[in-house]
């Protein structure tokens, strides 16, 4: 195999080209499927971001908080400051990262169930504070966010344009998380997740890495949140409820938490397709979704990615099972 | 100058004075045993030295620097390595992967270099791998390098614990009951390794209930009971010290001293 010998820069280039082609091809899908792909990219990115926090040993139920901050900052920047879209995206993501830094230093001292609860409280505080602010449109939210100007060849007046943007964000997040996972960073996160005490005894300051993971997670969640807010044209406190946080976990767990990129990609694909087609059975929607989750967890406790591993195990010994 | 100098160390948990005015000194190159009945406060002393607990009173100096109240990671970076009484493991990692954890404090490249896989980062990674291969060889764990740590035989998990600590330079090793769970053969093997480490200039502070090993291995022994130092001296003098014998015979599991 020649591909195995291409160096890492070559691999990245190859991946970018393939991804570009894929995005280009997706752009010719019917509108409805483009919509599904957009949701797929959004929830994949959010699922990956959630997994980063899980790596350092924390179960966050607060991703909705960062989607909310991201969405609102983009809305405010574009509506009230006439900020160009691309700048609004970057500033919103940076805002989320900054909030995560300040909040993280405090709440990441808590562990286990305490962190779970405090992350939920954080997301609710964000939502309720915004709902109480007249500047931010109170309970009505902010609407009429203008359609952004074209960005190079991407036209935001079409679904296609948005699809390209969300795939780009997904690729950015995917590359970052994959590199993290394959490098020392990811390893250190796993050490801390497995045993903070042992990690500390080797001179690893666990708070630094926990906060780092939290900030990176918030950055990408905020970036998606900002793009999503502008895509929908409106942001409102009703949108950013606990359910958004839940989807992040659903897609990651469906896909398999063992794989930071592939897991959420698969989980999100299954989730978004079901979510889209379940509109035909309004009554049984949650029931079927719950059934789906249970089925996957029951038959594939390690998520959809383990299908691939089970399949791979049928190959003779020596087949590259683990790519380090 | 003493390598470690502990003066008047005290720690209470509620009303329980687990460590009560302890003084210990350790010279470079020395192997000192820390013994005492269960609940005497030995592990608590380790946790105080390594920053996992903060003392209520007293100071801890390392090579003349006051290290009292520093965080565990800061203390580890000074070259004070430790193991834990219960075997702590990085579940889900292979032996080789968890060995690399011990080398992190030596590595200088930061987040972006790791993310972008720069030359400097790759070089450090290669060094870390090399060092782990050497260290695994030294500890006799080479054939286990791709095994998940949680399925490693219990005795070898203790070996791994020490192997991880010596991945980066250490001046002193604090070993909390390293011989529990080892059979006689493994015990003599581990003691052999520790002697080799000592000949490389590493000092050792050893908590151990295995009296035969302590008596033959340590230069000096400190005996703790109810958080206080009740005796200190060479193994011969300790084994005939009446206070020590009484402290042990007054406690259920003390019968090991004979
Ligand atoms: N984190 C803690 N919180 C409360 N009490 C503690 C804590 N750690 C230790 N203790 C108490 O301090 C005393 C000394 O405990 P320590 O673990 O230091 O004993 P030890 O000498 O290591 O005993 P062993 O030989 O059984 O390991 C015990 O009474 C123990 O219950
Ligand atoms: Mg103990």
């Amino acid at each position: 195999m020649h591909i195995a010998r291409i160096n890492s820069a070559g691999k990245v280039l190859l991946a970018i080209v393939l991804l570009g082609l894929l995005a280009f091809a997706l752009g010719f899908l019917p509108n409805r499927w483009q919509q599904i792909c957009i949701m797929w990219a959004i929830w994949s990115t959010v699922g990956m971001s959630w997994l980063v926090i899980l790596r350092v040993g924390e179960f966050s139920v607060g991703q909705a908080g960062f989607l909310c901050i991201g969405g609102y900052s983009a809305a405010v920047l574009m509506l009230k400051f006439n900020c160009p879209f691309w700048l609004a995206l970057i500033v919103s993501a940076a805002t989320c990262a900054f909030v995560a830094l300040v909040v993280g230093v405090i709440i990441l001292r808590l562990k286990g169930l305490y962190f779970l609860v405090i992350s939920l409280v954080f997301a609710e505080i964000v939502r309720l504070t915004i709902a109480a602010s007249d500047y931010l449109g109170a309970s009505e939210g902010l609407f009429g966010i203008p359609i952004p100007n074209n960005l190079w060849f991407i036209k935001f007046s079409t679904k296609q344009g948005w699809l390209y943007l969300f795939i780009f964000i997904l690729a950015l997040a995917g590359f970052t998380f994959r590199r993290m996972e394959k490098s020392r960073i990811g390893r250190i996160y796993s050490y801390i997740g497995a045993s903070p005490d042992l990690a500390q005894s080797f001179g690893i300051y666990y708070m630094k890495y926990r906060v780092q993971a939290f900030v990176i997670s918030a950055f990408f969640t905020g970036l998606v949140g900002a793009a999503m807010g502008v895509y929908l044209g409106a942001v409102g406190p009703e949108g950013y409820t606990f359910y958004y946080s839940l989807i992040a976990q659903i897609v990651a767990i469906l896909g398999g938490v063992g794989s930071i990129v592939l897991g959420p990609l698969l989980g999100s694909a299954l989730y978004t397709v079901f979510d889209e087609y379940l509109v035909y059975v309004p009554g049984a929607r949650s029931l079927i979704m719950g059934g789906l989750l249970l089925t996957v967890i029951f038959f594939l406790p390690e998520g959809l990615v383990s299908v691939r591993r089970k399949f791979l195990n049928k190959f003779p010994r020596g087949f590259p099972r683990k790519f380090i | 100058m003493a390598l470690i100098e502990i003066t008047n160390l005290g720690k209470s948990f509620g009303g329980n004075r687990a460590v009560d005015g302890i003084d210990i000194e350790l010279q470079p190159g020395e192997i000192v045993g820390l013994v005492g009945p269960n609940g005497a406060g030995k592990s608590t002393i380790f946790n105080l030295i390594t920053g996992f607990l903060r003392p209520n009173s007293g100071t801890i100096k390392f090579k003349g620097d006051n290290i009292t109240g520093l965080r565990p990671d800061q203390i580890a970076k000074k070259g004070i390595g430790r193991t834990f009484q219960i075997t702590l493991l990085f579940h889900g990692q292979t032996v080789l992967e968890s060995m690399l954890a011990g080398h992190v404090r030596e590595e200088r490249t930061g987040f972006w270099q790791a993310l972008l896989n720069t030359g400097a980062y790759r070089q450090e990674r290669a060094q870390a791998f090399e060092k782990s291969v050497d260290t695994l060889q030294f500890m006799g764990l080479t054939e286990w390098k791709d095994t998940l740590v949680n399925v490693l035989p219990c005795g070898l998990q203790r070996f791994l614990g020490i192997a991880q600590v010596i991945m980066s330079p250490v001046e002193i090793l604090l070993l909390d009951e390293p011989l529990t769970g080892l059979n006689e053969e493994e015990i003599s093997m581990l003691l052999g390794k520790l002697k080799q480490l000592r000949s490389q200039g590493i000092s050792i502070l050893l908590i151990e209930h295995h009296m035969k090993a302590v008596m033959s291995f340590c230069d000096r022994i400190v005996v703790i009971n109810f958080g206080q130092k009740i005796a200190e001296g060479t193994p011969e003098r300790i084994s005939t010290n009446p206070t020590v014998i009484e402290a042990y015979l007054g406690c259920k599991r003390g019968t090991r001293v004979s």
Side-chain angles (χ1 to χ4, degrees):
Chain A
M1 284 280 283
H2 280 289
I3 293 186
R5 272 191 229 121
I6 299 177
N7 62 18
S8 59
K11 269 188 219 155
V12 171
L13 209 70
L14 187 75
I16 289 174
V17 170
L18 285 179
L19 219 101
L21 285 174
L22 175 76
F24 185 71
L26 290 179
F28 291 98
L29 285 172
N31 242 350
R32 178 158 196 195
W33 276 93
Q34 285 191 24
Q35 168 66 23
I36 293 180
C37 287
I38 287 174
M39 296 322 283
W40 167 72
I42 289 176
W43 291 119
S44 297
T45 314
V46 179
M48 289 175 198
S49 311
W50 177 78
L51 261 182
V52 175
I53 305 178
L54 191 72
R55 282 287 181 275
V56 289
E58 295 296 12
F59 197 98
S60 161
V61 203
Q63 292 313 91
F66 291 115
L67 282 171
C68 182
I69 298 174
Y72 267 90
S73 10
V76 168
L77 286 167
M78 289 185 66
L79 276 174
K80 313 215 171 186
F81 296 96
N82 278 325
C83 183
F85 180 47
W86 62 270
L87 187 63
L89 281 186
I90 296 170
V91 174
S92 306
T95 308
C96 282
F98 180 72
V99 171
L101 180 68
V102 175
V103 173
V105 168
I106 302 161
I107 71 172
L108 285 164
R109 289 180 190 283
L110 301 175
K111 290 178 188 148
L113 272 181
Y114 299 98
F115 178 84
L116 189 147
V117 170
I118 199 89
S119 65
L120 178 66
V121 169
F122 159 75
E124 279 301 287
I125 288 179
V126 167
R127 197 172 71 84
L128 296 176
T129 311
I130 285 173
S133 155
D134 287 332
Y135 180 75
L136 297 173
S139 57
E140 312 235 302
L142 299 170
F143 36 84
I145 305 171
I147 294 171
N149 297 328
N150 293 352
L151 217 61
W152 194 21
F153 67 93
I154 301 178
K155 296 187 194 67
F156 291 110
S157 50
T158 64
K159 257 214 163 71
Q160 207 178 33
W162 287 101
L163 177 63
Y164 292 155
L165 177 74
F166 283 112
I167 296 236
F168 174 74
I169 294 176
L170 171 62
L172 194 67
F175 274 124
T176 310
F177 291 138
R178 189 179 160 77
R179 265 311 301 157
M180 282 169 66
E181 188 93 330
K182 291 279 157 199
S183 71
R184 184 178 66 214
I185 308 165
R187 238 185 321 106
I188 293 179
Y189 288 4
S190 307
Y191 298 148
I192 291 168
S195 174
D197 281 347
L198 190 57
Q200 282 208 89
S201 79
F202 296 143
I204 297 170
Y205 183 34
Y206 77 102
M207 265 309 273
K208 173 182 152 191
Y209 293 99
R210 283 158 78 99
V211 172
Q212 189 183 69
F214 197 59
V215 166
I216 294 168
S217 167
F219 179 88
F220 283 109
T221 310
L223 187 61
V224 176
M228 192 164 77
V230 181
Y231 168 60
L232 298 174
V235 288
E238 292 311 309
Y240 298 99
T241 54
F242 169 67
Y243 189 61
Y244 269 9
S245 301
L246 209 60
I247 300 177
Q249 295 147 35
I250 291 177
V251 300
I253 293 170
L254 267 182
V257 294
S259 164
I260 204 163
V261 175
L262 195 63
L265 286 180
L266 296 177
S268 169
L270 194 65
Y271 171 82
T272 42
V273 171
F274 262 75
D275 193 50
E276 178 71 19
Y277 281 93
L278 282 180
V279 290
Y280 299 124
V281 277
R285 194 187 167 97
S286 317
L287 197 70
I288 295 177
M289 202 54 118
L292 169 75
L293 245 180
L294 284 179
T295 314
V296 171
I297 290 174
F298 187 77
F299 289 105
L300 294 167
E302 287 167 50
L304 297 171
V305 284
S306 56
V307 170
R308 172 169 155 274
R309 196 172 327 123
K310 279 180 183 167
F311 174 69
L312 269 181
N313 280 344
K314 296 214 165 65
F315 280 86
R317 278 186 73 85
F319 195 87
R321 242 160 248 166
K322 199 173 173 195
F323 308 91
I324 298 183
Chain B
M1 191 198 308
L3 191 59
I4 284 208
E5 192 183 341
I6 297 168
T7 35
N8 189 29
L9 193 66
K11 176 75 190 175
S12 311
F13 297 107
N16 174 9
R17 301 176 108 179
V19 176
D20 192 3
I22 294 259
D23 301 308
I24 299 175
E25 229 181 71
L26 198 119
Q27 300 300 330
E30 238 186 337
I31 298 186
V32 173
L34 197 57
V35 302
N38 291 105
K42 306 177 297 290
S43 297
T44 307
I45 294 176
F46 269 22
N47 287 333
L48 291 168
I49 298 175
T50 50
F52 283 87
L53 290 173
R54 275 166 177 269
N56 302 122
S57 68
T59 53
I60 303 158
K61 284 187 180 161
F62 177 64
K63 294 201 285 184
D65 296 340
N66 190 347
I67 58 165
T68 328
L70 292 186
R71 292 193 313 259
D73 57 289
Q74 294 171 319
I75 292 173
K77 281 188 190 134
K78 289 191 181 285
I80 302 180
R82 73 163 294 177
T83 62
F84 295 84
Q85 182 169 357
I86 42 161
T87 315
L88 294 182
L89 297 166
F90 296 131
H91 278 257
Q93 308 271 336
T94 66
V95 168
L96 186 69
E97 282 163 350
S98 51
M99 287 292 284
L100 299 173
H103 198 262
V104 169
R105 67 174 176 277
E106 279 291 283
E107 291 163 13
R108 296 288 160 265
T109 50
F111 176 82
W112 290 104
Q113 278 156 303
L115 196 70
L116 301 173
N117 205 15
T118 61
Y121 167 74
R122 285 205 300 268
Q123 198 181 336
E124 270 189 352
R125 194 184 53 182
Q127 278 166 4
F129 269 93
E130 223 169 277
K131 179 77 187 169
S132 12
V133 169
D134 291 349
T135 314
L136 285 173
Q137 175 99 49
F138 171 71
M139 289 303 267
L141 288 168
T142 307
E143 58 184 307
W144 300 94
K145 73 176 173 26
D146 295 320
T147 314
L148 289 179
V149 290
N150 29 316
V151 300
L152 204 62
C154 185
L156 294 180
Q157 290 178 345
R158 310 293 290 190
F159 277 72
L160 174 65
I162 296 171
Q164 287 171 309
V165 184
I166 56 172
M167 278 291 288
S168 300
V170 285
E171 296 199 38
I172 176 163
L173 275 175
L174 311 185
L175 304 175
D176 199 342
E177 304 193 14
L179 305 181
T180 29
L182 303 192
N183 57 36
E184 287 300 321
E185 190 189 337
E186 288 171 324
I187 287 178
S188 62
M189 201 159 103
L190 188 63
L191 291 178
K193 305 286 180 206
L194 293 180
K195 278 186 187 135
Q196 264 177 281
L197 287 176
R198 180 228 198 138
S199 67
Q200 292 165 20
I202 297 176
S203 313
I204 294 172
L205 187 57
L206 176 76
I207 296 178
E208 194 42 71
H209 284 299
H210 192 294
M211 279 305 155
K212 217 172 83 197
V214 174
M215 290 294 168
S216 66
F217 186 61
C218 298
D219 304 323
R220 195 151 56 85
I221 292 174
V222 174
V223 188
I224 310 277
N225 197 16
F226 294 116
Q228 288 175 334
K229 184 161 88 179
I230 57 166
E232 179 171 3
T234 58
E236 303 81 60
R237 291 192 49 193
I238 290 296
S239 58
T240 52
N241 184 319
T243 337
V244 176
I245 294 170
E246 194 191 305
Y248 266 91
L249 294 181
C251 135
K252 280 181 214 146
R253 283 178 52 184
T255 43
R256 278 205 206 142
V257 173
S258 49

